[in-house]
Amino acid sequence: MITVGDPKAGHTVKVYEDPRCPFCKKFEDGGAQALVKPVADGKVKVEYTIASFLDDNLGGSGSVNAANALRASVEAGRFPQFHAAVFANQAEEETEDAYTPAFLLKIADKVDGLRGAAFDKAVTNGTYKKWVGEAMEAFTADGVQGTPTVFIDGKKAGGGGNALYEQAAFAKELKAAGIS
């Protein structure tokens, strides 16, 4: 799990995502934008569980490669920026296994202060493969069936319609949970 925001924040939003999932990109482009201000204000922390099940479903290793690189970006102190960049550069088709180490390093070029010997080596060598496996185990253990899955203070979010995919709709769900 990767935590963004003040670890002592009064509210917790848990996000389960697979880097190759097009609906996760839709969430990041839409509903997730409603989290930016509450996280910056210290009202909420976001706990990400980065899954990699789409590699098994579709073939390839793009989800594992991307999850490994996302974990490496934590060490560099650039996870939120790199996370946004990874989803912004997602392949048009989830069946396309685009997240190669070389492509992930190219994406990292767009994030100030991310590229360096340790990050580059971790992405190229799969340094965090064990962590990636543990994240997938946590995903399964939490009983999550698909991505994106979002919980606001333990309650599943986005039950109706496009709540996860539209900023205003997700902001309403956050507000109903006491987060604004």
Side-chain angles (χ1 to χ4, degrees):
M1 176 179 35
I2 298 168
T3 302
V4 174
D6 183 347
K8 295 185 216 77
H11 297 278
T12 303
V13 173
K14 286 177 117 2
V15 176
Y16 297 84
E17 293 177 319
D18 186 306
R20 289 174 71 180
C21 168
F23 289 98
C24 294
K25 177 179 175 28
K26 205 172 164 185
F27 169 67
E28 287 301 327
D29 292 346
Q33 297 304 308
L35 287 165
V36 174
K37 188 175 180 345
V39 168
D41 292 347
K43 293 178 181 175
V44 67
K45 67 178 174 281
V46 182
E47 296 176 349
Y48 290 93
T49 299
I50 308 295
S52 51
F53 68 92
L54 285 175
D55 287 351
D56 288 340
N57 295 2
L58 304 168
S61 55
S63 293
V64 168
N65 291 339
N68 174 71
L70 285 162
R71 177 62 183 84
S73 73
V74 172
E75 299 307 313
R78 293 284 183 266
F79 173 78
Q81 299 89 340
F82 186 59
H83 178 259
V86 166
F87 279 101
N89 287 278
Q90 188 185 72
E92 290 293 318
E93 296 290 324
E94 70 184 61
T95 53
E96 193 181 320
D97 192 21
Y99 290 130
T100 62
F103 184 55
L104 289 159
L105 290 173
K106 218 167 157 179
I107 294 169
D109 281 336
K110 300 172 185 174
V111 178
D112 288 343
L114 180 55
R115 292 289 304 266
F119 176 81
D120 291 6
K121 183 178 178 195
V123 171
T124 304
N125 296 349
T127 301
Y128 296 103
K129 282 252 166 78
K130 183 176 185 286
W131 179 89
V132 171
E134 291 165 355
M136 196 55 226
E137 286 170 19
F139 176 86
T140 305
D142 288 351
V144 177
Q145 300 292 314
T147 55
T149 298
V150 180
F151 292 92
I152 302 170
D153 292 332
K155 187 174 180 279
K156 192 168 183 185
N162 284 330
L164 291 181
Y165 308 118
E166 294 174 4
Q167 184 173 344
F170 192 64
K172 274 188 196 162
E173 287 208 30
L174 291 171
K175 193 172 179 132
I179 305 167
S180 56

